[in-house]
């Protein structure tokens, strides 16, 4: 794989349909070195089909209908997941950098191209979830940040020397941090993309231990997606 640093732009406005998400994740797979995975994603009939913005819908797709048995290794799939987790962890760290990071992680390791200066989303402290929910939104964002960092560390450990280094990638989120409204809208799309990516590939993992962990991560991503819909005052359909 070419070791030139790759810029990955996450533009939520261009990721609202299943076709747009397939295209983005196909490019992400190529960036992760899982070149054979790109065409599979593009051919996926079910990929993200029910996770598109359908009013208030927040359903999750079945694991069948588009996955194909190709010559993909667990390491290729895990590196694809790792680049996705780099993207997510970076996004949330730039939104909320306060407090200790989990498991000894550092800002420089998670976001080397962010110059070590995590941002603060204007107005996020004033956002309240609709009743009867009473959790603190800023604290929730910090919790999601920590989850994504833990996912990065798990995948790096599982891949060992085969893990793609974070320094190979640079991420651009546009104006996602310009306001609380912008940030929360992008976070919802990002979590949808994460859920569909995991559900799309979890069935292709051969190692039983890795499969169980990937399934657990997919569940956590689903919880994130549902919670952001709640914060954004959208009805959540189980």
């Amino acid at each position: 794989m070419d070791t030139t640093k790759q810029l990955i732009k996450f533009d939520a406005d261009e990721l609202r349909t299943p076709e747009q998400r397939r295209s983005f994740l196909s490019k992400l797979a190529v960036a992760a070195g899982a070149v054979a995975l790109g065409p599979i994603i593009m051919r996926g009939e079910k990929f993200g089909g029910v996770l598109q913005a359908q009013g208030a819908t927040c359903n999750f797709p079945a694991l069948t209908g588009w996955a194909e048995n190709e010559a993909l290794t667990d390491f290729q799939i895990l590196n694809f997941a790792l680049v996705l987790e780099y993207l997510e962890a970076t996004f949330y760290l730039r939104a909320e950098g306060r407090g200790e990071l989990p498991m000894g992680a550092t800002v420089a390791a998670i976001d080397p191209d962010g110059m070590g200066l995590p941002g603060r989303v204007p107005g996020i402290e004033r956002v309240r979830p609709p009743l009867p929910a009473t959790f603190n939104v800023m604290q929730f964002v910090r919790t999601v940040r920590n989850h994504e960092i833990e996912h990065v560390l798990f995948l790096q450990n599982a891949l060992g020397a085969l893990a793609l280094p974070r320094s190979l990638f640079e991420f651009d989120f546009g104006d996602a941090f310009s306001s609380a409204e912008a940030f929360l809208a992008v976070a919802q799309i990002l979590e949808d993309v994460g859920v569909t990516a995991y559900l799309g590939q979890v069935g292709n993992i051969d190692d039983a231990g890795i499969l169980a962990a990937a399934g657990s991560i997919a569940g956590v991503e689903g919880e994130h997606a549902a919670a952001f819909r709640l914060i954004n005052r959208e009805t959540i359909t189980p």
Side-chain angles (χ1 to χ4, degrees):
M1 177 182 175
D2 183 9
T3 58
T4 302
K5 180 175 285 193
Q6 300 186 62
L7 174 63
I8 297 175
K9 294 184 177 182
F10 190 87
D11 186 341
D13 288 334
E14 297 180 359
L15 292 167
R16 298 189 180 280
T17 69
E19 292 75 17
Q20 290 172 322
R21 295 180 192 183
R22 280 199 293 269
S23 178
F24 174 78
L25 287 170
S26 178
K27 293 175 182 176
L28 199 69
V30 173
V35 178
L37 184 57
I40 295 175
I41 293 173
M42 290 303 294
R43 290 195 295 269
E45 294 179 0
K46 297 291 185 182
F47 197 86
V50 297
L51 277 176
Q52 61 183 309
Q54 300 176 8
T57 301
C58 183
N59 294 322
F60 300 109
L63 296 181
T64 58
W66 72 273
E68 301 177 29
N69 294 321
E70 298 273 351
L72 289 168
T73 68
D74 284 355
F75 292 121
Q76 288 175 307
I77 295 172
L78 289 185
N79 263 318
F80 167 61
L82 178 58
V83 177
L84 177 65
E85 293 295 348
Y86 283 154
L87 174 76
E88 292 184 304
T90 299
F91 176 72
Y92 291 110
L93 184 59
R94 291 183 186 180
E96 173 51 82
R98 293 174 293 183
E100 183 179 355
L101 301 185
M103 303 171 68
T106 64
V107 173
I110 299 299
D111 187 18
D113 53 300
M115 298 181 293
L117 298 172
R120 189 70 53 80
V121 179
I124 192 72
E125 293 87 354
R126 297 190 295 274
V127 177
R128 299 288 184 272
L131 294 174
T134 59
F135 63 89
N136 181 279
V137 171
M138 194 67 262
Q139 183 58 50
F140 171 71
V141 171
R142 189 182 304 175
T143 298
V144 174
R145 176 202 70 186
N146 290 349
H147 286 168
E148 306 300 1
I149 291 174
E150 289 168 3
H151 296 167
V152 165
L153 298 176
F154 165 77
L155 291 168
Q156 287 178 330
N157 183 66
L159 284 159
L162 294 176
L164 292 171
R166 171 63 177 82
S167 58
L168 290 180
F169 306 96
E170 184 175 354
F171 299 107
D172 181 354
F173 301 97
D175 63 354
F177 309 112
S178 62
S179 68
E181 181 181 34
F183 166 76
L184 292 169
V186 173
Q188 181 174 314
I189 296 293
L190 181 61
E191 293 299 334
D192 281 0
V193 169
V195 171
T196 55
Y198 273 100
L199 292 186
Q201 287 309 310
V202 71
N204 290 329
I205 296 174
D206 295 320
D207 184 280
I210 294 175
L211 175 61
S216 176
I217 292 174
V220 172
E221 301 287 356
E223 292 174 359
H224 295 169
F228 278 117
R229 274 184 165 74
L230 175 65
I231 294 169
N232 289 330
R233 300 179 182 273
E234 294 188 14
T235 302
I236 302 170
T237 304

